[in-house]
């Protein structure tokens, strides 16, 4: 018999899915946590010698790593339910950019708080938030605070736009969207990173908004800033079907090809969407060790396209899942994203093995951890204790033959019963443990109401 060992918390559950390479399932499982780290994982019997300050018993639940939302825009949470029935570019021009221009700092903060609560309740422990409205220093840091105050971790990729490029003019982007010149963008981002440097619970990264229309010099300078300060960087990459063609027309090169040619594509890159890529671009991403965020629900909702997921995974590319914010899917639901990713791949390839449930679960967790650089996304000894418990005892999740399949194909976000981040319980017993949820919802509703009364056309676009 093993010698007694002490820890802070032991959680026991019916199943544990560590999201490892072998797609292991442990039944009658337990996990031990001390401080912010996992100290033991195994069967309940194997962990019997652990003496815990607190024991949580969830026999009807499965434990899994916290989800990583690899691409979000929390500021969009006040526009849930609006902007229906448009493809990506008209949606941006007619709806999202006018909404973004209407946002006040307090609106952005209220939206981020609401979105962070939804994320925590859905089992998301890490958010990469591409924040682009408004992007003054205080608001950028307030969004980071909102994520941290909810108890979550992540990164705010501060949206960098600079001055409107020729591509932006041609594609009809509104001039008022562009508030800062390049040097101001870089200076504010530098200051925000200084306030939340690498290693912070919520970091700040440069987020040059979109590779397909951003000024090339500013794109390069944003990446240089990430290299200088040791952060990752984040951008939208060939989300719209016309993005590569427009880029080719202006610059004579495809967007990712340009990044690679200039030596800008690197392992710090987190590329959102990455739908319309050719083989050479996929090879370049793989060679650089760059990572991608796949946003299946948004890609379907905005009719953007189906990503070449199989071609990425076979090249060894890290592919996180993202919700793309509350306006592009109207729910920050990682379960929906996993299932949508499967459906889209199977429909696009007519291959029922295109993405298996266990692989989809690894995209939402282990790949997400690699994508962000945080030691999360796998339940293993030494990793950060970002742990989620999903109740599988309801009619829609019974019987459980294979927990991977049940979690991906049957469970929904509201089945999450416990969310732990770095060893602290953020959501349990049906309520947030970190803040007053009713207050957050009331504040967001009031902000949303005022915002729409300032620009009623936003509610009319549907
Ligand atoms: Zn996006």
């Amino acid at each position: 018999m093993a010698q007694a060992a002490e820890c802070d918390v032991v959680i026991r559950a019916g199943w544990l899915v560590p999201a490892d390479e072998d797609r292991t399932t442990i039944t009658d499982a337990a996990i031990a946590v001390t401080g912010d780290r996992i100290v033991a994982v195994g069967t309940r019997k194997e962990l019997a010698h652990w003496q815990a300050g607190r024991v949580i018993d969830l026999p009807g639940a499965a434990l899994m790593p916290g989800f990583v939302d690899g691409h979000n825009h929390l500021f969009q949470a006040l526009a849930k339910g609006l902007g229906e029935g448009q493809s990506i570019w008209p949606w941006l021009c007619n709806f999202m950019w006018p909404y973004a221009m209407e946002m006040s700092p307090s609106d952005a903060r209220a939206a981020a708080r609401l979105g962070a609560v939804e994320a925590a309740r859905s089992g998301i422990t890490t958010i990469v938030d591409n924040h682009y409205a408004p992007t003054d220093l205080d608001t950028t840091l307030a969004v980071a605070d909102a994520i941290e105050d909810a108890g979550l971790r992540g990164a705010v990729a501060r949206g960098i736009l600079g001055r409107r490029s020729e591509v932006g003019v041609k594609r009809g982007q509104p001039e008022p969207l562009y508030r800062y010149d390049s040097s101001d963008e870089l200076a504010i981002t530098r200051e925000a990173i200084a306030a939340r440097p690498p290693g912070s619970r919520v970091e700040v990264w440069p987020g040059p908004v979109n590779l397909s229309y951003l000024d090339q010099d500013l794109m390069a300078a944003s990446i240089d800033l990430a290299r200088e300060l040791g952060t990752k960087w984040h951008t939208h990459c060939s989300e719209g079907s016309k993005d590569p063609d427009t880029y080719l027309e202006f610059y004579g090169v495809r967007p990712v090809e340009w990044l690679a040619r200039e030596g800008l594509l690197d392992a710090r890159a987190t590329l959102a969407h990455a739908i319309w890529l050719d083989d050479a671009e996929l090879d370049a991403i793989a060679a650089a060790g760059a990572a991608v965020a796949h946003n299946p629900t948004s890609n379907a909702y905005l009719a953007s396209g189906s990503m070449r997921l199989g071609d990425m995974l076979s090249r060894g590319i890290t592919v996180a899942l993202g919700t793309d914010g509350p306006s592009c899917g109207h729910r920050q639901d990682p379960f929906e994203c996993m299932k949508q990713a499967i459906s889209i791949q199977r429909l696009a390839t007519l291959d029922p093995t295109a993405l298996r449930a266990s692989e989809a679960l690894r995209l939402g967790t282990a790949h997400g951890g690699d994508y962000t650089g945080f030691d999360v996304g796998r339940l293993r000894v030494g990793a950060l204790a970002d742990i989620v418990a999903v109740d599988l005892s309801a009619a829609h999740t019974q019987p459980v033959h294979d927990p991977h399949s049940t979690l991906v194909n049957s469970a929904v976000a509201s089945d999450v019963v416990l969310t732990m981040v770095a060893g602290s319980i953020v959501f349990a017993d049906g309520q947030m443990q970190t803040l007053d949820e009713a207050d957050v919802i009331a504040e967001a509703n009031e902000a949303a109401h005022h915002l729409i009364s300032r620009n009623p056309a936003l509610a009319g676009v549907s």
Side-chain angles (χ1 to χ4, degrees):
M1 171 122 183
Q3 261 195 323
E6 288 188 2
C7 64
D8 293 340
V9 186
V10 163
I11 311 174
R12 299 172 184 151
W15 304 269
L16 185 145
V17 172
D20 59 9
E21 298 269 345
D22 301 331
R23 297 161 167 81
T24 308
T25 299
I26 302 170
T27 50
D28 202 9
I31 190 164
V33 173
T34 288
D36 63 355
R37 300 277 165 176
I38 297 168
V39 292
V41 180
T43 62
R44 190 176 162 145
K45 215 169 161 185
E46 286 165 346
L47 267 67
H49 62 289
W50 283 92
Q51 308 286 317
R54 182 176 178 193
V55 176
I56 300 170
D57 269 311
L58 299 166
L63 299 175
M64 61 172 291
F67 288 102
V68 175
D69 186 349
H71 180 65
N72 198 326
H73 306 280
L74 291 172
F75 78 87
Q76 296 180 2
L78 304 187
K80 226 178 271 170
L82 299 176
E84 242 275 301
Q86 304 186 71
S87 59
I88 176 68
W89 203 260
W91 180 84
L92 285 168
C93 289
N94 303 332
F95 173 67
M96 185 39 60
W97 287 326
Y99 167 82
M101 290 186 289
E102 208 59 68
M103 281 251 115
S104 71
S106 63
D107 292 338
R109 181 177 171 275
R113 276 160 56 84
L114 182 70
V117 167
E118 186 187 348
R121 281 182 155 273
S122 304
I124 292 166
T125 53
T126 301
I127 300 177
V128 174
D129 187 54
N130 180 208
H131 174 72
Y132 63 83
T135 52
D136 58 275
L137 178 65
D138 287 351
T139 308
T140 303
L141 295 178
V143 170
D145 289 345
I147 296 170
E148 186 160 333
D149 291 347
L152 305 181
R153 76 170 74 254
V156 174
R158 178 185 174 272
I160 293 172
L161 279 164
R163 290 291 165 218
R164 196 162 54 152
S165 70
E166 273 184 71
V167 184
V169 173
K170 179 171 180 205
R171 300 193 73 177
Q173 286 185 306
E175 173 74 41
L177 190 64
Y178 292 82
R179 291 179 180 177
Y180 304 105
D181 62 23
S182 294
S183 59
D184 288 341
E185 293 279 23
L186 295 166
I188 298 168
T189 307
R190 181 183 287 277
E191 252 189 281
I193 294 170
R196 285 191 167 271
S200 304
R201 175 75 165 247
V202 180
E203 302 178 352
V204 174
W205 303 346
V209 173
N210 197 316
L211 172 61
S212 71
Y213 58 74
L214 215 75
D215 171 74
Q216 287 186 326
D217 289 341
L218 183 54
M219 192 77 212
S222 303
I223 296 166
D224 283 345
L225 188 66
R227 289 175 177 176
E228 181 195 332
L229 301 177
T231 70
K232 299 229 170 210
W233 59 273
H234 186 72
T235 193
H236 288 82
C237 170
S238 296
E239 176 180 8
S241 59
K242 295 199 179 85
D243 288 358
D245 291 343
T246 317
Y247 207 82
L248 257 173
E249 198 183 304
F250 271 86
Y251 301 115
V253 61
R254 294 176 66 88
V256 174
E257 206 184 338
W258 174 76
L259 277 180
R261 191 184 75 191
E262 300 299 313
L264 296 168
L265 193 59
D266 58 16
R268 300 181 184 282
T270 58
L271 309 172
H273 297 285
I275 300 171
W276 300 96
L277 304 180
D278 67 13
D279 285 345
E281 290 180 305
L282 291 184
D283 290 341
I285 290 172
V292 163
H294 179 32
N295 302 273
T297 305
S298 163
N299 294 348
Y301 176 77
L302 296 171
S304 300
S306 49
M307 188 220 240
R308 297 176 59 187
L309 183 59
D311 294 334
M312 291 191 180
L313 296 177
S314 65
R315 283 168 167 82
I317 296 171
T318 295
V319 182
L321 293 181
T323 64
D324 201 8
S327 287
C328 313
H330 306 280
R331 239 176 38 228
Q332 301 172 89
D333 184 341
F335 296 88
E336 181 179 53
C337 281
M338 292 191 293
K339 198 163 179 180
Q340 287 267 30
I342 290 172
S343 301
I344 289 170
Q345 289 309 307
R346 293 184 185 178
L347 281 171
T349 60
L350 299 182
D351 175 3
T353 68
L355 181 65
R356 309 299 288 263
S358 56
E359 278 181 300
L361 191 115
R362 277 177 53 78
L363 298 188
T365 55
H367 279 244
D370 295 343
Y371 170 95
T372 59
F374 295 114
D375 188 8
V376 298
R378 296 173 179 87
L379 298 185
R380 61 181 177 194
V381 173
L384 287 162
D386 286 16
I387 304 166
V388 166
V390 185
D391 179 60
L392 301 183
S393 65
H396 66 278
T397 42
Q398 286 285 314
V400 180
H401 296 294
D402 169 8
H404 284 97
S405 178
T406 305
L407 285 165
V408 173
N409 290 312
S410 304
V412 294
S414 50
D415 294 327
V416 170
V417 289
L418 180 138
T419 303
M420 173 185 273
V421 184
S424 295
I425 295 174
V426 165
F427 169 73
D429 302 323
Q431 48 189 330
M432 290 294 292
Q433 306 293 306
T434 45
L435 40 72
D436 182 343
E437 200 170 344
D439 182 50
V440 169
I441 293 171
E443 181 193 40
N445 265 317
E446 197 183 326
H449 173 76
H450 286 302
L451 191 147
I452 296 302
S453 53
R454 292 198 298 276
N455 188 346
L458 289 169
V461 182
S462 67

